[in-house]
Amino acid sequence: MSNSTILFYMKRGTKLLIAAGLACAVAAACAVTADISSPQARDAASKIERAMSEYRGGRPGPSDSGDADVRLFAQAYQRVQTNYVRPIEDEALILAAQTGMREAYPDPAVATDSQLVEAAINGMMHSLDDYSVYLDKAGYSKLHQEINGTFGGLGIEIKKDPTGLEVISPIDGTPAMRAGLKPGDRLTHADGSSLADLSLRESVELLRGAPGTTVVVTVARSGVPSFDVPLTREVIRIQRVRARLEDNVAYLRITHFVRDTGLALRREMIRLKEEAGPGNLRGYVVDLRSNPGGLLEESIDVAGAFLSGGLVVSTRSRKSSQEFRADLADPSEGLPVVVLINQGSASASEIVAGAIKYRDRGLVVGQKSYGKGSVQTTFEFHGGGGLKLTTALYYTPSGKSVDGGIEPNVDALDNPDTEEVDEALQVALDLVRNAGGSHSVLWNSGTFKN
C-alpha cells in the first residue's frame, strides 16, 4: 500500500500527527530506547535476520557503511505491535517485511545489510495504511523545518498512486500552486522517468533537488490529455494566515496548520476588528480550501477562536479515547462564521470545518473535503530516524468519522475560467452579510437566523 508525504521533505512531526500525509500535534512523540523489551520484537528481528541470510544464499553482502541492523527492525516492529490503531498478526507483518525487502532489491547481491533492513521496515509499514511510514535519519530531521513553516521543495501534498503520485493539495504561494496543479491530479513522470513503479521515497528522491533547479512533471488530469509542467524547486516558507476586510467581513485564509497558526489567526482577527471600527465587523469567512492539514494542536486553537469552549474533536485509539476542547475565550464574539472547503481540504482543516458545522456554530461552504480520519504519531528511534504511525481515528463533535470527507452545508465551486471572480468566496461572503451581524448565530435549514 502507499503512504503520503509532502514534497520534498516528508511531513514529519515531533508530536501527534493528523495529515493527509500530513501533520498534527498534541503530545510529544516517544523516543524508542535501545532496549527492546518485547520478546516478540526480538523474535521478529531474528526472523528477518534469517530471511536476509536465506535471501543472500548465505553469501555476504557489499561492504556496509550504514548503521542499520536488525535491532532497528525490532524497534519498528515493537512500535507497530504496541501502538498501531488495530492489532496486526505477526505473520502478516513478517511477510510484508520480507516482500518489501525482495521487491526493493530483486538482486540481493547489490544491497547492504542496512539497505535490506530498511527495505524490510518499509515493506512492513507500507502494508499498514496510506499514512504510516518509516523515516531514516535525514527524513526525520527534516520535519522540524516543516513544523516551523519552512521547508524545501515544490509545495505539494501527495500520496502514492498506481500511476505515480496523486496530488492531495498544492500549498498557497508555492511552485506547485503557481503552476496550477490541482487536487486529484496524477503525476506520472518526472523528467520523462515513470513514477508508477517507484516507491514513494524513490519518487521523492527523483523529484528532490537544489533550490533553483527545475523538474518537469507529467500531469494526468481528468478530462484532458496528459501535459508537462516545469516546476522550479525553492525553499517553501508557509505564510500561515492571510487576512483582509471584504465589506467589513473578515476574510481569513489559512494555508497550513504549522506552529503558531492559531496565534497568527487570532492576531489577524484583532487587527481586522480594529480596522473595521467598533461594532462594524459583520462576521468571518475562514478559507481552508486546498489546506492539507498540519498540527492538531493548531486546529484546536483555530476552531477555538470561534467556539466558546466545548468539544472540537475526539480520538479513539486501540486502547483509549481522548477529547479535545476549545478554550473559553471566543475572540469571534459569536459573529457569523462561514468555513470554505474543497477536495484539497484535509486533516486539520476537516477538524475545524467539522467542529464549526456539527457544533451548529456556522456554515461550511464549497466541496466535500478530502476525508482523512486517522491520527499519526511519530516515534523517534534510538540513534536517529523513526516512524510515523497511525495510532488513532478521529471524530467530529457529532460522533461522525471524517473518513469520506466533510459535506458542505452549501455547495459552491470556483470557476477556473473566471480568474477575476472567486464564485465560492462570493457565496461565503454573501452568507455572512445576509446574517445581519447577529451575535446569536443559529443554524437552521442552511441559513443563518437572528
Side-chain angles (χ1 to χ4, degrees):
M1 295 179 67
S2 62
N3 48 293
S4 65
T5 188
I6 187 163
L7 290 178
F8 284 120
Y9 296 150
M10 293 183 185
K11 186 180 264 304
R12 311 302 178 214
T14 55
K15 300 185 177 182
L16 186 69
L17 307 173
I18 300 180
L22 326 215
C24 282
V26 258
C30 303
V32 182
T33 65
D35 295 328
I36 305 301
S37 58
S38 164
Q40 292 82 3
R42 292 194 294 268
D43 182 59
S46 297
K47 290 178 181 178
I48 290 301
E49 191 168 35
R50 289 195 298 271
M52 289 169 55
S53 178
E54 292 171 2
Y55 190 38
R56 291 192 188 281
R59 297 183 295 274
S63 175
D64 196 346
S65 59
D67 56 4
D69 59 29
V70 292
R71 287 176 296 179
L72 188 69
F73 182 86
Q75 292 183 74
Y77 175 92
Q78 182 166 313
R79 278 298 167 188
V80 171
Q81 288 291 45
T82 303
N83 298 102
Y84 189 60
V85 67
R86 64 178 185 274
I88 304 291
E89 292 292 332
D90 171 79
E91 293 81 2
L93 291 178
I94 298 300
L95 177 60
Q98 293 174 349
T99 301
M101 181 176 64
R102 292 172 181 270
E103 288 182 349
Y105 297 101
D107 180 2
V110 304
T112 65
D113 286 351
S114 293
Q115 289 171 328
L116 288 182
V117 168
E118 291 196 352
I121 297 173
N122 281 324
M124 177 174 63
M125 299 302 293
H126 293 174
S127 73
L128 299 176
D129 57 50
D130 286 353
Y131 307 108
S132 296
V133 64
Y134 164 71
L135 301 136
D136 61 14
K137 287 182 181 179
Y140 201 90
S141 68
K142 299 297 190 296
L143 87 91
H144 299 286
Q145 297 176 14
E146 185 180 336
I147 288 295
N148 289 303
T150 302
F151 58 97
L154 301 178
I156 182 172
E157 186 96 6
I158 58 168
K159 65 180 289 186
K160 194 70 182 77
D161 180 83
T163 63
L165 301 170
E166 178 188 346
V167 175
I168 296 174
S169 180
I171 299 172
D172 277 8
T174 64
M177 178 65 82
R178 292 194 295 270
L181 293 185
K182 300 179 179 181
D185 283 347
R186 265 69 176 179
L187 310 185
T188 61
H189 294 76
D191 286 337
S193 298
S194 174
L195 301 174
D197 296 327
L198 300 183
S199 68
L200 184 66
R201 175 182 292 185
E202 291 168 335
S203 298
V204 170
E205 289 296 334
L206 188 60
L207 293 168
R208 179 179 291 158
T213 61
T214 299
V215 59
V216 178
V217 296
T218 302
V219 180
R221 179 177 294 167
S222 178
V224 300
S226 296
F227 56 95
D228 289 340
V229 177
L231 297 170
T232 301
R233 304 169 175 107
E234 63 184 47
V235 174
I236 308 299
R237 292 181 175 86
I238 298 175
Q239 184 177 354
R240 295 161 174 80
V241 181
R242 297 203 305 271
R244 65 179 185 268
L245 280 181
E246 293 272 358
D247 189 22
N248 283 344
V249 175
Y251 171 76
L252 303 162
R253 167 66 178 157
I254 303 175
T255 61
H256 215 77
F257 288 84
V258 295
R259 184 160 291 141
D260 293 332
T261 294
L263 178 62
L265 174 80
R266 291 169 185 247
R267 286 173 175 168
E268 291 295 340
M269 292 172 69
I270 293 171
R271 181 182 69 81
L272 293 181
K273 183 177 180 180
E274 292 175 348
E275 184 179 332
N280 291 329
L281 191 66
R282 305 175 69 175
Y284 301 89
V285 171
V286 183
D287 191 348
L288 300 178
R289 290 175 296 179
S290 298
N291 182 323
L295 296 168
L296 173 59
E297 62 188 6
E298 298 300 333
S299 73
I300 306 302
D301 198 17
V302 168
F306 304 98
L307 299 168
S308 181
L311 183 63
V312 174
V313 67
S314 61
T315 62
R316 302 175 195 172
S317 69
R318 192 198 309 184
K319 300 177 181 178
S320 64
S321 61
Q322 188 172 6
E323 293 185 344
F324 300 91
R325 297 181 174 272
D327 60 40
L328 298 175
D330 187 15
S332 71
E333 298 181 331
L335 287 172
V337 57
V338 170
V339 179
L340 272 170
I341 60 172
N342 64 6
Q343 61 184 352
S345 304
S347 180
S349 295
E350 294 171 298
I351 290 175
V352 174
I356 297 298
K357 177 179 179 179
Y358 294 111
R359 290 282 305 277
D360 293 334
R361 174 61 182 91
L363 296 174
V364 175
V365 172
Q367 299 171 281
K368 185 170 74 172
S369 63
Y370 181 81
K372 181 185 179 294
S374 60
V375 178
Q376 280 70 49
T377 304
T378 57
F379 297 95
E380 185 175 4
F381 289 160
H382 175 80
L387 301 181
K388 184 179 76 171
L389 184 66
T390 297
T391 55
L393 304 178
Y394 73 90
Y395 297 83
T396 68
S398 69
K400 172 182 168 58
S401 170
V402 172
D403 277 343
I406 299 291
E407 293 278 359
N409 300 116
V410 179
D411 292 326
L413 180 63
D414 180 36
N415 185 351
D417 296 328
T418 56
E419 294 184 4
E420 69 282 0
V421 179
D422 186 338
E423 288 84 356
L425 175 57
Q426 290 305 311
V427 170
L429 291 170
D430 288 344
L431 284 167
V432 174
R433 292 171 183 139
N434 292 335
S438 170
H439 282 247
S440 178
V441 180
L442 299 176
W443 165 255
N444 185 5
S445 300
T447 60
F448 285 111
K449 303 193 85 174
N450 293 335

PDB file of all heavy atoms in Angstrom, residues 15-50:
ATOM      1  N   LYS A  15       5.382  15.397  17.245  1.00  0.00           N
ATOM      2  CA  LYS A  15       4.218  15.186  18.080  1.00  0.00           C
ATOM      3  C   LYS A  15       3.180  14.382  17.331  1.00  0.00           C
ATOM      4  O   LYS A  15       3.450  13.784  16.310  1.00  0.00           O
ATOM      5  CB  LYS A  15       3.661  16.544  18.503  1.00  0.00           C
ATOM      6  CG  LYS A  15       4.677  17.382  19.311  1.00  0.00           C
ATOM      7  CD  LYS A  15       4.051  18.650  19.803  1.00  0.00           C
ATOM      8  CE  LYS A  15       5.042  19.440  20.651  1.00  0.00           C
ATOM      9  NZ  LYS A  15       4.441  20.660  21.188  1.00  0.00           N
ATOM     10  N   LEU A  16       1.972  14.379  17.884  1.00  0.00           N
ATOM     11  CA  LEU A  16       0.881  13.624  17.282  1.00  0.00           C
ATOM     12  C   LEU A  16       0.466  14.263  15.978  1.00  0.00           C
ATOM     13  O   LEU A  16       0.295  15.456  15.889  1.00  0.00           O
ATOM     14  CB  LEU A  16      -0.295  13.603  18.250  1.00  0.00           C
ATOM     15  CG  LEU A  16      -1.488  12.731  17.868  1.00  0.00           C
ATOM     16  CD1 LEU A  16      -1.116  11.275  17.940  1.00  0.00           C
ATOM     17  CD2 LEU A  16      -2.643  13.023  18.797  1.00  0.00           C
ATOM     18  N   LEU A  17       0.303  13.442  14.936  1.00  0.00           N
ATOM     19  CA  LEU A  17       0.050  13.962  13.603  1.00  0.00           C
ATOM     20  C   LEU A  17      -1.313  13.559  13.102  1.00  0.00           C
ATOM     21  O   LEU A  17      -1.762  12.455  13.312  1.00  0.00           O
ATOM     22  CB  LEU A  17       1.090  13.399  12.614  1.00  0.00           C
ATOM     23  CG  LEU A  17       2.542  13.576  12.994  1.00  0.00           C
ATOM     24  CD1 LEU A  17       3.411  12.824  12.020  1.00  0.00           C
ATOM     25  CD2 LEU A  17       2.891  15.032  12.994  1.00  0.00           C
ATOM     26  N   ILE A  18      -1.980  14.468  12.406  1.00  0.00           N
ATOM     27  CA  ILE A  18      -3.120  14.119  11.595  1.00  0.00           C
ATOM     28  C   ILE A  18      -2.881  14.802  10.262  1.00  0.00           C
ATOM     29  O   ILE A  18      -2.941  15.992  10.191  1.00  0.00           O
ATOM     30  CB  ILE A  18      -4.445  14.597  12.186  1.00  0.00           C
ATOM     31  CG1 ILE A  18      -4.677  13.973  13.562  1.00  0.00           C
ATOM     32  CG2 ILE A  18      -5.587  14.264  11.264  1.00  0.00           C
ATOM     33  CD1 ILE A  18      -5.960  14.403  14.209  1.00  0.00           C
ATOM     34  N   ALA A  19      -2.680  14.154   9.214  1.00  0.00           N
ATOM     35  CA  ALA A  19      -2.411  14.779   7.972  1.00  0.00           C
ATOM     36  C   ALA A  19      -2.652  13.848   6.834  1.00  0.00           C
ATOM     37  O   ALA A  19      -2.435  12.695   6.973  1.00  0.00           O
ATOM     38  CB  ALA A  19      -0.962  15.176   7.894  1.00  0.00           C
ATOM     39  N   ALA A  20      -3.063  14.360   5.749  1.00  0.00           N
ATOM     40  CA  ALA A  20      -3.053  13.532   4.603  1.00  0.00           C
ATOM     41  C   ALA A  20      -1.631  13.516   4.234  1.00  0.00           C
ATOM     42  O   ALA A  20      -1.121  14.410   3.651  1.00  0.00           O
ATOM     43  CB  ALA A  20      -3.833  14.083   3.467  1.00  0.00           C
ATOM     44  N   GLY A  21      -1.285  12.934   4.832  1.00  0.00           N
ATOM     45  CA  GLY A  21       0.107  12.853   4.897  1.00  0.00           C
ATOM     46  C   GLY A  21       0.579  13.818   5.850  1.00  0.00           C
ATOM     47  O   GLY A  21       1.128  14.593   5.759  1.00  0.00           O
ATOM     48  N   LEU A  22       0.295  14.399   6.069  1.00  0.00           N
ATOM     49  CA  LEU A  22       0.460  15.440   6.539  1.00  0.00           C
ATOM     50  C   LEU A  22       0.430  15.616   7.849  1.00  0.00           C
ATOM     51  O   LEU A  22       0.264  15.006   8.007  1.00  0.00           O
ATOM     52  CB  LEU A  22      -0.050  16.180   5.765  1.00  0.00           C
ATOM     53  CG  LEU A  22      -0.083  15.980   4.266  1.00  0.00           C
ATOM     54  CD1 LEU A  22      -0.057  16.426   3.512  1.00  0.00           C
ATOM     55  CD2 LEU A  22       0.510  16.352   4.078  1.00  0.00           C
ATOM     56  N   ALA A  23       0.399  16.541   9.019  1.00  0.00           N
ATOM     57  CA  ALA A  23       0.894  16.546  10.383  1.00  0.00           C
ATOM     58  C   ALA A  23      -0.129  17.078  11.383  1.00  0.00           C
ATOM     59  O   ALA A  23      -0.981  17.814  10.993  1.00  0.00           O
ATOM     60  CB  ALA A  23       2.129  17.429  10.430  1.00  0.00           C
ATOM     61  N   CYS A  24      -0.071  16.763  12.660  1.00  0.00           N
ATOM     62  CA  CYS A  24      -0.934  17.341  13.711  1.00  0.00           C
ATOM     63  C   CYS A  24      -0.413  16.985  15.103  1.00  0.00           C
ATOM     64  O   CYS A  24      -0.214  15.825  15.355  1.00  0.00           O
ATOM     65  CB  CYS A  24      -2.349  16.838  13.607  1.00  0.00           C
ATOM     66  SG  CYS A  24      -3.298  17.618  12.344  1.00  0.00           S
ATOM     67  N   ALA A  25      -0.223  17.958  16.035  1.00  0.00           N
ATOM     68  CA  ALA A  25       0.470  17.637  17.270  1.00  0.00           C
ATOM     69  C   ALA A  25      -0.285  17.924  18.542  1.00  0.00           C
ATOM     70  O   ALA A  25      -0.890  18.934  18.675  1.00  0.00           O
ATOM     71  CB  ALA A  25       1.763  18.411  17.321  1.00  0.00           C
ATOM     72  N   VAL A  26      -0.232  17.003  19.477  1.00  0.00           N
ATOM     73  CA  VAL A  26      -0.757  17.270  20.813  1.00  0.00           C
ATOM     74  C   VAL A  26       0.145  16.790  21.918  1.00  0.00           C
ATOM     75  O   VAL A  26       0.123  17.334  22.991  1.00  0.00           O
ATOM     76  CB  VAL A  26      -2.113  16.597  21.068  1.00  0.00           C
ATOM     77  CG1 VAL A  26      -3.218  17.539  20.970  1.00  0.00           C
ATOM     78  CG2 VAL A  26      -2.318  15.387  20.287  1.00  0.00           C
ATOM     79  N   ALA A  27       0.875  15.766  21.696  1.00  0.00           N
ATOM     80  CA  ALA A  27       1.703  15.218  22.756  1.00  0.00           C
ATOM     81  C   ALA A  27       3.043  14.834  22.179  1.00  0.00           C
ATOM     82  O   ALA A  27       3.125  14.383  21.060  1.00  0.00           O
ATOM     83  CB  ALA A  27       1.042  13.990  23.376  1.00  0.00           C
ATOM     84  N   ALA A  28       4.088  15.044  22.955  1.00  0.00           N
ATOM     85  CA  ALA A  28       5.422  14.788  22.440  1.00  0.00           C
ATOM     86  C   ALA A  28       5.572  13.343  22.022  1.00  0.00           C
ATOM     87  O   ALA A  28       5.087  12.434  22.676  1.00  0.00           O
ATOM     88  CB  ALA A  28       6.464  15.122  23.514  1.00  0.00           C
ATOM     89  N   ALA A  29       6.248  13.148  20.905  1.00  0.00           N
ATOM     90  CA  ALA A  29       6.481  11.788  20.435  1.00  0.00           C
ATOM     91  C   ALA A  29       7.445  11.084  21.368  1.00  0.00           C
ATOM     92  O   ALA A  29       8.260  11.688  22.031  1.00  0.00           O
ATOM     93  CB  ALA A  29       7.049  11.823  19.033  1.00  0.00           C
ATOM     94  N   CYS A  30       7.330   9.779  21.388  1.00  0.00           N
ATOM     95  CA  CYS A  30       8.149   8.990  22.298  1.00  0.00           C
ATOM     96  C   CYS A  30       9.449   8.577  21.624  1.00  0.00           C
ATOM     97  O   CYS A  30       9.446   8.125  20.489  1.00  0.00           O
ATOM     98  CB  CYS A  30       7.394   7.739  22.722  1.00  0.00           C
ATOM     99  SG  CYS A  30       5.808   8.071  23.491  1.00  0.00           S
ATOM    100  N   ALA A  31      10.541   8.730  22.316  1.00  0.00           N
ATOM    101  CA  ALA A  31      11.802   8.199  21.828  1.00  0.00           C
ATOM    102  C   ALA A  31      11.872   6.725  22.179  1.00  0.00           C
ATOM    103  O   ALA A  31      11.552   6.314  23.290  1.00  0.00           O
ATOM    104  CB  ALA A  31      12.974   8.944  22.457  1.00  0.00           C
ATOM    105  N   VAL A  32      12.292   5.902  21.225  1.00  0.00           N
ATOM    106  CA  VAL A  32      12.401   4.467  21.451  1.00  0.00           C
ATOM    107  C   VAL A  32      13.801   4.173  21.961  1.00  0.00           C
ATOM    108  O   VAL A  32      14.784   4.525  21.336  1.00  0.00           O
ATOM    109  CB  VAL A  32      12.137   3.695  20.145  1.00  0.00           C
ATOM    110  CG1 VAL A  32      12.215   2.205  20.394  1.00  0.00           C
ATOM    111  CG2 VAL A  32      10.775   4.070  19.583  1.00  0.00           C
ATOM    112  N   THR A  33      13.886   3.532  23.088  1.00  0.00           N
ATOM    113  CA  THR A  33      15.193   3.273  23.681  1.00  0.00           C
ATOM    114  C   THR A  33      15.893   2.130  22.962  1.00  0.00           C
ATOM    115  O   THR A  33      15.303   1.402  22.172  1.00  0.00           O
ATOM    116  CB  THR A  33      15.050   2.911  25.157  1.00  0.00           C
ATOM    117  OG1 THR A  33      14.339   1.679  25.253  1.00  0.00           O
ATOM    118  CG2 THR A  33      14.277   3.988  25.912  1.00  0.00           C
ATOM    119  N   ALA A  34      17.168   1.986  23.259  1.00  0.00           N
ATOM    120  CA  ALA A  34      17.950   0.927  22.626  1.00  0.00           C
ATOM    121  C   ALA A  34      17.491  -0.457  23.075  1.00  0.00           C
ATOM    122  O   ALA A  34      17.674  -1.438  22.374  1.00  0.00           O
ATOM    123  CB  ALA A  34      19.428   1.118  22.965  1.00  0.00           C
ATOM    124  N   ASP A  35      16.887  -0.540  24.270  1.00  0.00           N
ATOM    125  CA  ASP A  35      16.446  -1.830  24.772  1.00  0.00           C
ATOM    126  C   ASP A  35      15.127  -2.222  24.127  1.00  0.00           C
ATOM    127  O   ASP A  35      14.178  -1.453  24.105  1.00  0.00           O
ATOM    128  CB  ASP A  35      16.262  -1.761  26.289  1.00  0.00           C
ATOM    129  CG  ASP A  35      17.571  -1.507  27.010  1.00  0.00           C
ATOM    130  OD1 ASP A  35      18.612  -1.964  26.498  1.00  0.00           O
ATOM    131  OD2 ASP A  35      17.541  -0.839  28.061  1.00  0.00           O
ATOM    132  N   ILE A  36      15.068  -3.411  23.590  1.00  0.00           N
ATOM    133  CA  ILE A  36      13.846  -3.946  23.008  1.00  0.00           C
ATOM    134  C   ILE A  36      13.257  -4.907  24.031  1.00  0.00           C
ATOM    135  O   ILE A  36      13.758  -6.002  24.232  1.00  0.00           O
ATOM    136  CB  ILE A  36      14.125  -4.652  21.674  1.00  0.00           C
ATOM    137  CG1 ILE A  36      14.860  -3.704  20.723  1.00  0.00           C
ATOM    138  CG2 ILE A  36      12.837  -5.143  21.049  1.00  0.00           C
ATOM    139  CD1 ILE A  36      14.115  -2.435  20.409  1.00  0.00           C
ATOM    140  N   SER A  37      12.211  -4.464  24.731  1.00  0.00           N
ATOM    141  CA  SER A  37      11.700  -5.235  25.848  1.00  0.00           C
ATOM    142  C   SER A  37      10.805  -6.387  25.421  1.00  0.00           C
ATOM    143  O   SER A  37      10.633  -7.356  26.153  1.00  0.00           O
ATOM    144  CB  SER A  37      10.923  -4.318  26.803  1.00  0.00           C
ATOM    145  OG  SER A  37       9.855  -3.689  26.104  1.00  0.00           O
ATOM    146  N   SER A  38      10.230  -6.304  24.231  1.00  0.00           N
ATOM    147  CA  SER A  38       9.266  -7.296  23.804  1.00  0.00           C
ATOM    148  C   SER A  38       9.952  -8.544  23.260  1.00  0.00           C
ATOM    149  O   SER A  38      10.740  -8.456  22.307  1.00  0.00           O
ATOM    150  CB  SER A  38       8.357  -6.706  22.724  1.00  0.00           C
ATOM    151  OG  SER A  38       7.662  -7.705  22.040  1.00  0.00           O
ATOM    152  N   PRO A  39       9.665  -9.716  23.821  1.00  0.00           N
ATOM    153  CA  PRO A  39      10.206 -10.955  23.246  1.00  0.00           C
ATOM    154  C   PRO A  39       9.744 -11.149  21.809  1.00  0.00           C
ATOM    155  O   PRO A  39      10.486 -11.675  20.970  1.00  0.00           O
ATOM    156  CB  PRO A  39       9.653 -12.047  24.167  1.00  0.00           C
ATOM    157  CG  PRO A  39       9.311 -11.351  25.437  1.00  0.00           C
ATOM    158  CD  PRO A  39       8.881  -9.971  25.048  1.00  0.00           C
ATOM    159  N   GLN A  40       8.512 -10.725  21.502  1.00  0.00           N
ATOM    160  CA  GLN A  40       8.001 -10.849  20.137  1.00  0.00           C
ATOM    161  C   GLN A  40       8.827 -10.012  19.163  1.00  0.00           C
ATOM    162  O   GLN A  40       9.082 -10.427  18.034  1.00  0.00           O
ATOM    163  CB  GLN A  40       6.536 -10.423  20.082  1.00  0.00           C
ATOM    164  CG  GLN A  40       5.576 -11.361  20.807  1.00  0.00           C
ATOM    165  CD  GLN A  40       5.519 -11.093  22.309  1.00  0.00           C
ATOM    166  OE1 GLN A  40       6.158 -10.165  22.814  1.00  0.00           O
ATOM    167  NE2 GLN A  40       4.759 -11.923  23.015  1.00  0.00           N
ATOM    168  N   ALA A  41       9.267  -8.814  19.622  1.00  0.00           N
ATOM    169  CA  ALA A  41      10.081  -7.961  18.759  1.00  0.00           C
ATOM    170  C   ALA A  41      11.448  -8.597  18.501  1.00  0.00           C
ATOM    171  O   ALA A  41      11.962  -8.573  17.379  1.00  0.00           O
ATOM    172  CB  ALA A  41      10.243  -6.584  19.387  1.00  0.00           C
ATOM    173  N   ARG A  42      12.039  -9.170  19.551  1.00  0.00           N
ATOM    174  CA  ARG A  42      13.329  -9.837  19.355  1.00  0.00           C
ATOM    175  C   ARG A  42      13.182 -11.035  18.431  1.00  0.00           C
ATOM    176  O   ARG A  42      14.034 -11.295  17.578  1.00  0.00           O
ATOM    177  CB  ARG A  42      13.900 -10.267  20.710  1.00  0.00           C
ATOM    178  CG  ARG A  42      14.311  -9.096  21.603  1.00  0.00           C
ATOM    179  CD  ARG A  42      15.176  -9.564  22.769  1.00  0.00           C
ATOM    180  NE  ARG A  42      14.420 -10.409  23.683  1.00  0.00           N
ATOM    181  CZ  ARG A  42      13.770  -9.948  24.752  1.00  0.00           C
ATOM    182  NH1 ARG A  42      13.768  -8.652  25.016  1.00  0.00           N
ATOM    183  NH2 ARG A  42      13.123 -10.782  25.554  1.00  0.00           N
ATOM    184  N   ASP A  43      12.082 -11.765  18.584  1.00  0.00           N
ATOM    185  CA  ASP A  43      11.837 -12.917  17.710  1.00  0.00           C
ATOM    186  C   ASP A  43      11.628 -12.469  16.266  1.00  0.00           C
ATOM    187  O   ASP A  43      12.125 -13.112  15.332  1.00  0.00           O
ATOM    188  CB  ASP A  43      10.619 -13.680  18.211  1.00  0.00           C
ATOM    189  CG  ASP A  43      10.332 -14.924  17.380  1.00  0.00           C
ATOM    190  OD1 ASP A  43      11.223 -15.793  17.291  1.00  0.00           O
ATOM    191  OD2 ASP A  43       9.227 -15.014  16.822  1.00  0.00           O
ATOM    192  N   ALA A  44      10.902 -11.364  16.072  1.00  0.00           N
ATOM    193  CA  ALA A  44      10.673 -10.839  14.725  1.00  0.00           C
ATOM    194  C   ALA A  44      11.992 -10.435  14.079  1.00  0.00           C
ATOM    195  O   ALA A  44      12.218 -10.684  12.887  1.00  0.00           O
ATOM    196  CB  ALA A  44       9.717  -9.651  14.776  1.00  0.00           C
ATOM    197  N   ALA A  45      12.876  -9.805  14.861  1.00  0.00           N
ATOM    198  CA  ALA A  45      14.177  -9.413  14.330  1.00  0.00           C
ATOM    199  C   ALA A  45      14.984 -10.640  13.913  1.00  0.00           C
ATOM    200  O   ALA A  45      15.665 -10.631  12.872  1.00  0.00           O
ATOM    201  CB  ALA A  45      14.946  -8.601  15.365  1.00  0.00           C
ATOM    202  N   SER A  46      14.907 -11.693  14.705  1.00  0.00           N
ATOM    203  CA  SER A  46      15.607 -12.931  14.350  1.00  0.00           C
ATOM    204  C   SER A  46      15.072 -13.525  13.053  1.00  0.00           C
ATOM    205  O   SER A  46      15.829 -14.026  12.216  1.00  0.00           O
ATOM    206  CB  SER A  46      15.481 -13.952  15.484  1.00  0.00           C
ATOM    207  OG  SER A  46      16.091 -13.480  16.665  1.00  0.00           O
ATOM    208  N   LYS A  47      13.759 -13.454  12.865  1.00  0.00           N
ATOM    209  CA  LYS A  47      13.162 -13.967  11.632  1.00  0.00           C
ATOM    210  C   LYS A  47      13.641 -13.179  10.418  1.00  0.00           C
ATOM    211  O   LYS A  47      13.928 -13.753   9.359  1.00  0.00           O
ATOM    212  CB  LYS A  47      11.631 -13.895  11.729  1.00  0.00           C
ATOM    213  CG  LYS A  47      11.027 -14.886  12.709  1.00  0.00           C
ATOM    214  CD  LYS A  47       9.511 -14.726  12.791  1.00  0.00           C
ATOM    215  CE  LYS A  47       8.912 -15.715  13.791  1.00  0.00           C
ATOM    216  NZ  LYS A  47       7.432 -15.537  13.922  1.00  0.00           N
ATOM    217  N   ILE A  48      13.727 -11.864  10.559  1.00  0.00           N
ATOM    218  CA  ILE A  48      14.200 -11.043   9.445  1.00  0.00           C
ATOM    219  C   ILE A  48      15.677 -11.312   9.175  1.00  0.00           C
ATOM    220  O   ILE A  48      16.121 -11.369   8.017  1.00  0.00           O
ATOM    221  CB  ILE A  48      13.959  -9.548   9.737  1.00  0.00           C
ATOM    222  CG1 ILE A  48      12.459  -9.260   9.700  1.00  0.00           C
ATOM    223  CG2 ILE A  48      14.685  -8.658   8.734  1.00  0.00           C
ATOM    224  CD1 ILE A  48      11.775  -9.592   8.386  1.00  0.00           C
ATOM    225  N   GLU A  49      16.442 -11.512  10.236  1.00  0.00           N
ATOM    226  CA  GLU A  49      17.868 -11.816  10.057  1.00  0.00           C
ATOM    227  C   GLU A  49      18.035 -13.130   9.299  1.00  0.00           C
ATOM    228  O   GLU A  49      18.862 -13.227   8.378  1.00  0.00           O
ATOM    229  CB  GLU A  49      18.555 -11.875  11.420  1.00  0.00           C
ATOM    230  CG  GLU A  49      20.075 -11.909  11.338  1.00  0.00           C
ATOM    231  CD  GLU A  49      20.701 -11.677  12.693  1.00  0.00           C
ATOM    232  OE1 GLU A  49      20.119 -12.135  13.704  1.00  0.00           O
ATOM    233  OE2 GLU A  49      21.763 -11.035  12.743  1.00  0.00           O
ATOM    234  N   ARG A  50      17.230 -14.125   9.655  1.00  0.00           N
ATOM    235  CA  ARG A  50      17.298 -15.403   8.939  1.00  0.00           C
ATOM    236  C   ARG A  50      16.831 -15.233   7.495  1.00  0.00           C
ATOM    237  O   ARG A  50      17.414 -15.811   6.570  1.00  0.00           O
ATOM    238  CB  ARG A  50      16.442 -16.451   9.651  1.00  0.00           C
ATOM    239  CG  ARG A  50      17.022 -16.924  10.964  1.00  0.00           C
ATOM    240  CD  ARG A  50      16.346 -18.211  11.441  1.00  0.00           C
ATOM    241  NE  ARG A  50      14.919 -18.012  11.680  1.00  0.00           N
ATOM    242  CZ  ARG A  50      14.418 -17.619  12.853  1.00  0.00           C
ATOM    243  NH1 ARG A  50      15.229 -17.371  13.881  1.00  0.00           N
ATOM    244  NH2 ARG A  50      13.114 -17.489  13.007  1.00  0.00           N
TER     245      ARG A  50
END
